[in-house]
Amino acid sequence: MLDSPAATPMGRAEQRVPRVLGAVLLIVAGAIHLVELPEQETIGLAAGFALSGLATVAGALLLLTRGPRLGWLLGGAAAALTFIGYVLTRSVGLPRIDEDDIGNWLEPLGVVSLIVEALAVAFAIWALTDQYGITTQYAVAEIKAVIPGLTSQEP
């Protein structure tokens, strides 16, 4: 399950323990947003919570399968954008999306979410900044490994 495509090098992005820890962090972040989804009062907030939840869980699934670099990229980006969204809604507000939470920094699940997302982003940066990084070649190899029908089959 934690194999990596043969076409990608074994760098930090492929290490088993960080992948599992990263997946757990992303699943927790996704669960928080999916649990909180029904309580959102505007369509903009609901869409943001849904996208955050789905993208972080998808990143976790990629980490646990043959797409670790894609998982780090998707999960890390989703966690970073969600973190930024929390900061914006609490500081300046988002017109027509969420203006009611300005100053509400200590909402319990929000604080847990911030901590989990910050850790997930830190892990993603660590995993993707080794000598191999993420290249188009590695991304294509992982996409082909994750979606079996994409490999070219000769007649």
Side-chain angles (χ1 to χ4, degrees):
M1 184 170 186
L2 287 171
D3 293 333
S4 293
T8 62
M10 290 301 293
R12 290 192 300 226
E14 288 78 22
Q15 292 180 10
R16 289 177 185 267
V17 172
R19 284 170 66 183
V20 171
L21 290 175
V24 168
L25 290 169
L26 292 172
I27 289 169
V28 169
I32 288 171
H33 288 90
L34 294 175
V35 164
E36 290 283 313
L37 178 61
E39 296 178 20
Q40 301 317 303
E41 297 173 359
T42 66
I43 191 73
L45 273 178
F49 271 68
L51 287 172
S52 174
L54 294 173
T56 51
V57 170
L61 292 175
L62 286 168
L63 283 175
L64 296 174
T65 60
R66 295 177 51 94
R69 290 173 195 278
L70 294 175
W72 287 120
L73 186 63
L74 176 61
L81 290 171
T82 303
F83 189 101
I84 291 167
Y86 186 91
V87 170
L88 288 174
T89 59
R90 294 333 191 244
S91 59
V92 296
L94 297 175
R96 296 193 306 183
I97 294 178
D98 185 20
E99 299 175 82
D100 297 333
D101 278 326
I102 296 174
N104 185 20
W105 290 96
L106 298 179
E107 194 277 320
L109 274 179
V111 172
V112 171
S113 177
L114 282 178
I115 293 167
V116 168
E117 289 155 0
L119 289 170
V121 170
F123 268 99
I125 290 169
W126 173 81
L128 293 174
T129 56
D130 66 359
Q131 65 193 25
Y132 304 111
I134 180 142
T135 66
T136 304
Q137 174 189 358
Y138 300 151
V140 168
E142 288 188 6
I143 290 169
K144 288 180 179 178
V146 171
I147 305 173
L150 289 182
T151 56
S152 60
Q153 298 178 5
E154 296 181 27

